Amino acid sequence: MSQKHKPISEKKFWLQRLSKTSLRALHILGITGAGGGILLGVDKTLWCNYWILAMSTGSLLMLWEVVRDWRWLIQLKGLLTLVKLCLLALFIPLATYKPELLIAIVLLSVIVSHGPAGLRHFSVIHGRRLDGRKEIKG
């Protein structure tokens, strides 16, 4: 068995699991703070730090997935995450539609996180479910 496919130790598993769970928790906190500010029309200075937290943790979570298995980028879970980034980019030219864009992003997030594995792992290149390496949930 190659070094790359050897099971990880229990200690390393728990370290990775707790790290990813903590990162996701901070991401949700950031989304909640920034989302509340956007949806309620609160002054940006009051939610900007949450926005920074959401964007930095989201970037780290994406990097985690791509480094773990590059095929994440061709699975629906990766592609829908990239669609969410495109919707975020629309915050600038379509600033008056931030609440609607945010709602669409949150709904896509639920599909990516809680949809059936056959949907999340579907590869648009292969036209079928493509399971990657064992995931560290979190």
Side-chain angles (χ1 to χ4, degrees):
M1 183 178 284
S2 71
Q3 180 69 22
K4 197 173 198 178
H5 293 92
K6 282 176 88 171
I8 62 173
S9 69
E10 188 170 345
K11 181 179 179 181
K12 188 172 181 178
F13 168 81
W14 281 107
L15 178 64
Q16 288 183 14
R17 178 86 184 245
L18 292 173
S19 297
K20 189 172 181 186
T21 300
S22 299
L23 195 57
R24 188 172 308 281
L26 290 172
H27 184 65
I28 292 169
L29 176 63
I31 294 297
T32 303
I38 291 168
L39 290 175
L40 299 175
V42 175
D43 184 76
K44 184 179 175 182
T45 59
L46 297 174
W47 54 265
C48 190
N49 287 336
Y50 289 104
W51 178 264
I52 293 167
L53 179 63
M55 295 304 106
S56 58
T57 54
S59 297
L60 289 171
L61 285 165
M62 274 186 54
L63 180 63
W64 182 302
E65 294 299 337
V66 172
V67 167
R68 182 186 63 79
D69 189 349
W70 68 268
R71 293 176 293 183
W72 179 86
L73 291 167
I74 60 171
Q75 293 172 315
L76 278 180
K77 59 186 176 177
L79 290 173
L80 290 175
T81 301
L82 296 175
V83 168
K84 292 188 317 184
L85 288 176
C86 291
L87 291 172
L88 277 173
L90 292 176
F91 273 32
I92 296 167
L94 303 175
T96 57
Y97 294 101
K98 277 183 189 175
E100 292 83 357
L101 291 166
L102 177 68
I103 290 167
I105 291 166
V106 170
L107 292 175
L108 279 174
S109 296
V110 171
I111 292 169
V112 171
S113 296
H114 302 288
L119 175 71
R120 291 189 332 266
H121 297 181
F122 182 81
S123 166
V124 296
I125 302 294
H126 299 87
R128 63 178 170 81
R129 178 177 170 160
L130 184 66
D131 290 322
R133 289 195 271 151
K134 181 88 172 135
E135 292 185 47
I136 300 292
K137 303 287 184 193

